[in-house]
């Protein structure tokens, strides 16, 4: 393995992966609800909601039935978006917005939402609010999506009360929800079907076995968690956290620590699908978890290549770019005379140096190490994978 240790500045000239919607949708299903929606829009602009991923959401778009707009008169000039039928409009926009506040009956919301739901890991948070703004009910994606925190925030903005029904939040001295801990630590849950059993064990006072050698989940402390375990405890799955790949199994709940950085070199015009396949093949070949990928990285001159930008989007990671002179200054095991000649520099490896620098970006005082050296795919793509080791590991 080839290490590089030195402090680095933030990379410039980055191409970013497609970001999620940054606005909330506020659905006012009645004329009184419209007035409450207006209050919420104004209040949120002054005091934004902080989502679970740390982003701030200050924009709230107000939507209402066309008949309500007609009754409201000039309110249509303030940005009200009309719709004909709530269920149709919600189906159209459900995945467009960061979250939804529905001002109306919970039954109407449930019926409209039911055919749209996929999984708590991808569904937007939904809060149902009565027309007077007195009760904000966290209806959907309470922990992972932030529905509970959104309900509390909406209630505080309107002077109402948040209604939270998730089991772990209903016990004053209960353990922190595991999915909320994982989300806060930036981990990716791979085995959602095992989560309910672990959550039940925590609520019932049973110690959950935890393998966390990288200390990615410091909030999972004894006696609720039995750290250092390597096997399940009866029917309670072992929670295993790492960037290494672990095969799925009935006795393990896997979480990926997104600490892997893939450097990529590619000829002009290489399709995104080929790049994605090459990255996944490199990860698999070296026993690395695909869900632990944190970024793609390349040389600045390649950052605008459609294949690379689309590959990053498909993999759900940012594309980082580094100037060729910086890459050439990194010691790598497989420098390329051709790459050096192309940029008028000494021999260097785009993929290996980019992977090492990208990993170093996450922890400037740590040690960036190659886990997968340069591998050539189809004669047109090179891939290398690096991780940064340091204290704390995650």
């Amino acid at each position: 393995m080839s290490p590089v240790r030195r402090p680095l500045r933030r990379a410039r000239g980055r191409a970013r992966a497609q970001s999620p919607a940054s606005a909330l949708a506020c659905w006012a299903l009645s004329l009184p609800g419209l007035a409450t929606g207006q209050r919420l829009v104004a209040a949120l602009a002054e005091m934004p909601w902080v989502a679970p991923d740390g982003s701030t959401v200050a924009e709230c778009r107000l939507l209402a039935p066309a008949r309500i707009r007609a009754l409201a008169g000039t309110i249509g000039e303030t940005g009200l978006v009309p719709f004909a039928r709530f269920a149709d409009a919600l189906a159209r926009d459900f995945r467009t917005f960061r979250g939804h506040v529905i001002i109306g009956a919970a039954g109407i919301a449930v019926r409209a939402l039911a055919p749209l739901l996929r999984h708590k890991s991808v569904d937007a948070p939904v809060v149902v609010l009565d027309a007077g703004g007195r009760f904000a009910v966290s209806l959907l994606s309470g922990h992972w999506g932030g529905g509970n925190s959104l309900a509390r925030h909406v209630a505080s903005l309107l002077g109402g009360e948040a209604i939270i029904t998730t089991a772990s939040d209903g016990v004053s001295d209960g353990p922190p929800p595991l999915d909320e801990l994982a989300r806060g630590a930036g981990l990716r849950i791979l085995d959602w079907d095992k989560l309910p059993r672990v959550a039940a064990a925590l609520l019932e006072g049973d110690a959950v076995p935890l393998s966390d050698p990288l200390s990615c989940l410091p909030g999972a402390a004894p006696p609720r968690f039995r750290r250092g375990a390597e096997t399940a405890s009866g029917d309670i799955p072992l929670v295993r956290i790492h960037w290494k790949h672990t095969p799925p199994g009935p006795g393990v709940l896997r979480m990926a620590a997104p600490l892997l950085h893939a450097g990529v070199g590619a000829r002009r015009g290489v399709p995104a699908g080929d790049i994605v396949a090459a990255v996944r093949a490199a990860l698999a070949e070296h026993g690395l978890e695909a869900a632990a990928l944190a970024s793609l990285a390349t040389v600045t001159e390649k950052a605008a290549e459609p294949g690379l930008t689309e590959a990053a989007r498909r993999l759900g990671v940012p594309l980082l770019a580094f100037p060729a002179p910086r890459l050439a200054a990194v010691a790598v095991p497989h420098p390329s005379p051709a790459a050096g000649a192309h940029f008028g520099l000494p021999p260097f490896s785009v993929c290996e140096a980019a992977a090492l620098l990208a990993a170093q970006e996450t922890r400037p005082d740590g040690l960036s190490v190659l886990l997968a050296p340069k591998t050539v795919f189809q004669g047109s793509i090179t891939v290398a994978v690096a991780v940064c080791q340091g204290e704390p590991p995650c």
Side-chain angles (χ1 to χ4, degrees), residues 18-391:
Q18 187 176 12
S19 61
S22 58
L24 295 176
C26 180
W27 304 85
L29 305 186
S30 67
L31 193 57
L34 184 58
T36 298
Q38 287 180 290
R39 289 170 52 207
L40 178 59
V41 169
L44 190 71
E46 294 292 326
M47 189 176 295
W49 170 55
V50 180
D53 61 3
S55 62
T56 57
V57 181
E59 182 182 1
C60 185
R61 299 180 191 174
L62 192 56
L63 304 95
R67 70 179 188 283
I68 300 299
R69 177 179 179 177
L71 291 172
T74 59
I75 194 172
E77 300 173 4
T78 65
L80 176 65
V81 179
F83 57 83
R85 185 172 178 270
F86 173 56
D88 295 339
L90 184 64
R92 179 195 65 209
D93 294 336
F94 183 59
R95 305 198 183 278
T96 302
F97 291 94
R98 180 65 182 78
H100 300 264
V101 178
I102 300 173
I103 308 177
I108 294 175
V110 168
R111 290 185 177 89
L113 286 165
L116 309 178
L117 305 185
R118 295 179 185 171
H119 193 270
K120 61 161 56 177
S121 62
V122 296
D123 291 335
V126 177
V127 171
V128 173
L129 189 65
D130 67 289
R134 296 170 298 173
F135 303 107
V137 182
S138 177
L139 189 66
L140 192 66
S141 297
H143 289 149
W144 191 261
N148 291 356
S149 67
L150 179 59
R152 293 187 182 101
H153 190 67
V154 168
S156 69
L157 292 178
L158 299 178
E161 179 182 356
I163 308 298
I164 311 295
T165 60
T166 44
S168 55
D169 295 89
V171 181
S172 59
D173 61 345
L178 182 57
D179 52 348
E180 199 168 85
L181 283 176
R183 180 66 184 261
L187 302 176
R188 296 166 182 168
I189 298 174
L190 305 184
D191 301 300
W192 286 93
D193 60 315
K194 311 296 194 316
L195 188 63
R197 180 64 190 97
V198 172
L202 290 171
L203 287 171
E204 293 162 7
D206 295 325
V208 171
L210 173 64
S211 174
D212 182 21
L214 304 179
S215 298
C216 291
L217 206 60
R224 302 286 189 179
F225 291 87
R226 182 163 55 84
R227 301 188 72 91
E230 289 299 328
T231 59
S233 177
D235 67 340
I236 304 174
L238 169 72
V239 178
R240 186 188 297 278
I241 304 170
H242 213 287
W243 41 257
K244 293 179 181 178
H245 175 68
T246 298
V252 61
L253 190 167
R254 300 168 301 156
M255 294 189 186
L259 300 173
L260 303 180
H261 301 266
V264 179
R267 291 180 181 173
R268 179 174 297 179
V270 172
D274 291 353
I275 296 173
V276 170
V279 170
R280 288 177 173 163
L283 292 167
E285 181 179 346
H286 293 273
L288 307 175
E289 174 55 56
L293 188 66
S295 76
L296 295 189
T298 191
V299 66
T300 300
E301 286 77 2
K302 291 287 186 179
E305 278 285 317
L308 276 167
T309 57
E310 174 61 16
R313 188 196 69 80
R314 292 186 190 181
L315 291 167
V317 297
L319 175 63
L320 311 184
F322 300 92
R326 285 192 66 193
L327 296 177
V330 178
V332 295
H334 302 98
S336 167
H342 179 78
F343 291 100
L345 295 167
F348 72 98
S349 168
V350 168
C351 67
E352 290 180 334
L356 288 166
L357 290 181
Q360 192 78 59
E361 287 268 295
T362 63
R363 189 177 293 118
D365 296 328
L367 182 68
S368 185
V369 176
L370 278 179
L371 299 175
K374 178 168 69 175
T375 303
V376 181
F377 294 89
Q378 301 179 350
S380 58
I381 305 167
T382 58
V383 178
V385 182
V387 70
C388 192
Q389 299 173 343
E391 294 295 337

